[in-house]
Amino acid sequence: MFTRSIIEPVRNTGFRQTDHFHHSHATGIDFQQRIVHVESVLKPGALYDLNYDKLVIGVGALSNTFGTPGVTEHAFFLKVSMRSLIN
């Protein structure tokens, strides 16, 4: 039985230039001007704008521990799809 990940690490996408990826939080979007206002995660307080042609919003996710004590400290959360199982 094999499984495939339902997530893809950014490091595997093969960005060609360093400005192809921005580790930042969006603080606002101007859809008319096609500009995303962002704050850098690496340099908090550094605000800048990004122009875009096409915008893809990836919101991310956190695993739910259901309030079970010790889960966060002692468990590894896996992101796999049951549909990717090969019989």
Side-chain angles (χ1 to χ4, degrees):
M1 183 177 343
F2 300 96
T3 60
R4 293 181 294 171
S5 175
I6 63 169
I7 60 172
E8 182 66 25
V10 171
R11 67 182 169 272
N12 294 342
T13 58
F15 290 104
R16 293 177 294 258
Q17 297 174 359
T18 58
D19 64 344
H20 286 176
F21 175 74
H22 295 265
H23 192 177
S24 302
H25 295 288
T27 59
I29 301 174
D30 183 336
F31 291 105
Q32 296 298 320
Q33 299 292 321
R34 293 186 164 198
I35 297 172
V36 179
H37 309 288
V38 297
E39 179 177 5
S40 174
V41 169
L42 302 177
K43 297 178 183 177
L47 305 173
Y48 58 99
D49 294 338
L50 293 171
N51 296 316
Y52 67 89
D53 294 321
K54 295 180 183 177
L55 181 62
V56 177
I57 300 174
V59 296
L62 295 174
S63 298
N64 192 342
T65 65
F66 300 101
T68 306
V71 170
T72 304
E73 298 83 11
H74 303 290
F76 295 102
F77 298 103
L78 304 176
K79 307 273 191 234
V80 295
S81 171
M82 292 305 292
R83 293 183 182 180
S84 68
L85 294 177
I86 300 172
N87 295 330

